[in-house]
Amino acid sequence: MSQPWRSRVRQTLKARGAPAFLAASLAVGVLVGISAALLVVGIDWVRSITEWCIEQGSEWREDGIGSEGRWVLIGLVPLGITISWLIARRFGHEVESGGVTETMTGLSLHGGYLPTRTIFAKIGATIATLGFGGSGGREGPATMIGGTIGSSVARYSRFGEDQIRSLIAAGAGAGIGASFAAPIAGMLFAMEVMLGNFAVRHLNAVVIASVAAAVTTRSLVGEDAILSAPVHRALVPAELLLYALLGLLAVASALLFLKILDQVSSQTWTENRPPWVRPVVAGLMVAGIGLVAPDALGTGQEYVAELLDSSTTTDKVWWILLLVAGAKMVTNALTRSGGGSAGTFMPSLFIGASLGTALAVVVGPIWGFSTLDSGAFAIVGMAAVFAATARAPLTSILIVFEITGDYGLVLPLMLATSLATLLADRLHPESCLLYTSDAADDRYKV
């Protein structure tokens, strides 16, 4: 009788040489890609249930009550956040919130240990949170899932400490690469944010995992489920002045977003009350905002894609764009504080796209040098706000390049993101960091 497959795998990896390490990196990438695809499909499936409930609610509503049956969100959003909260109570508090902070904590402070049991728990909690209307992105959870897969594969394969760090970072970067079909951006995220350095010894694992994850997810879910944008170009040098202004506005928006995250997470409005009150109250507040600003719910990917297409923004009103961006900040903070599993990556892009479009809408009619492309300003705004919040300018720029598939905006992107990162560092050298600041819940700090 042949040996069990586990014994064969252990024998293959026993030497723990370079080929075995690269094979483990490939396995991590494929597994992360499958997990990211499960997130996409699961969220879409639950969201289809939510949309069906809204359609049914529109048939039952009385005149003047609700809009297209959205009033059913008052029950569905708290349900999704409560499900996530219950999963976290069963499998560990790491399941709540975004996931990047928890992954960095495990990587830096816990010897690379991330419990395997949280993989499917995180997938289920994220699907429930975002599918039923909670506000946030799936990229943070995908990062944690990827990092946990990397940790599990490394422990099972009995690699050394440095190789464990490499595989965790590779898995985390693969989560970003899979979410955006952007393997280069995923690689840079792993090196720039997770590891904080560009050591060559980590590079092979990170590159292999990011590419494998992006290819796997794209093959399973297709192009339509991944954020993309048409090509935009900055044709007039004078527009660089406006992009510099956008970089300044991005800093203000990023600091406001982080302040809201910090303030909401530190509130004690459910103190001395049963624990289940927290997700229910937070869900009700998110749903209430969603009745007025429905674009602020869910991942917001469709809304961002609409702003990136200049032909769909001709009728946008600048102050409505800014109000929706503000609503996104609040709903994301409440979703996370209430126990939902949702990241801040996509909300940062959402805020930046709204900000950039609003600037183009305001200045366009009085700008005499050229016709402003609102989609180009939305793209640069995305990169600038994320760069100011996460202090990851290279990742911000590369994600935009890979989303658009073009380098026509290279000068505006470099100008706005560099300026935003520089000013954010000067204004708040430490406390403004998105994944290591007071904006992260104190429960996840050690």
Side-chain angles (χ1 to χ4, degrees), residues 88-146:
R89 282 176 64 89
R90 172 63 178 83
F91 292 96
H93 65 75
E94 300 91 348
V95 174
E96 292 186 18
S97 196
V100 178
T101 303
E102 294 76 12
T103 307
M104 294 176 69
T105 299
L107 178 64
S108 302
L109 302 178
H110 297 162
Y113 177 75
L114 294 167
T116 305
R117 68 177 184 276
T118 61
I119 294 175
F120 287 104
K122 189 66 171 177
I123 291 175
T126 305
I127 289 173
T129 300
L130 300 181
F132 282 121
S135 178
R138 62 175 184 258
E139 296 76 23
T143 298
M144 178 180 166
I145 292 166

Side-chain angles (χ1 to χ4, degrees), residues 215-246:
V215 171
T216 301
T217 301
R218 181 182 294 178
S219 301
L220 293 175
V221 304
E223 299 283 351
D224 294 339
I226 299 172
L227 182 64
S228 61
V231 174
H232 299 280
R233 297 182 184 277
L235 301 177
V236 180
E239 291 182 7
L240 291 176
L241 295 174
L242 297 180
Y243 287 111
L245 174 61
L246 180 56

Side-chain angles (χ1 to χ4, degrees), residues 228-398:
S228 61
V231 174
H232 299 280
R233 297 182 184 277
L235 301 177
V236 180
E239 291 182 7
L240 291 176
L241 295 174
L242 297 180
Y243 287 111
L245 174 61
L246 180 56
L248 298 177
L249 296 174
V251 174
S253 299
L255 296 183
L256 177 60
F257 182 33
L258 290 166
K259 185 66 174 179
I260 291 174
L261 286 170
D262 184 27
Q263 291 297 317
V264 172
S265 66
S266 63
Q267 292 299 314
T268 57
W269 31 270
T270 59
E271 190 176 5
N272 300 323
R273 293 180 176 87
W276 55 265
V277 171
R278 177 167 65 96
V280 172
V281 171
L284 289 172
M285 296 173 70
V286 172
I289 296 172
L291 293 179
V292 180
D295 289 324
L297 301 182
T299 63
Q301 180 170 307
E302 293 81 4
Y303 178 83
V304 172
E306 182 182 350
L307 295 184
L308 298 183
D309 185 357
S310 303
S311 62
T312 65
T313 60
T314 55
D315 59 342
K316 297 294 183 182
V317 180
W318 67 269
W319 59 269
I320 292 180
L321 289 166
L322 296 182
L323 283 178
V324 172
K328 190 66 174 180
M329 296 179 188
V330 177
T331 55
N332 180 237
L334 287 169
T335 298
R336 291 163 55 88
S337 178
S341 174
T344 55
F345 202 121
M346 181 56 74
S348 297
L349 302 184
F350 183 106
I351 295 163
S354 298
L355 179 66
T357 304
L359 179 62
V361 169
V362 170
V363 178
I366 60 176
W367 182 255
F369 297 96
S370 62
T371 300
L372 299 184
D373 184 347
S374 63
F377 278 83
I379 288 174
V380 175
M382 288 167 50
V385 171
F386 182 72
T389 54
R391 308 295 168 82
L394 295 179
T395 301
S396 304
I397 293 172
L398 262 296

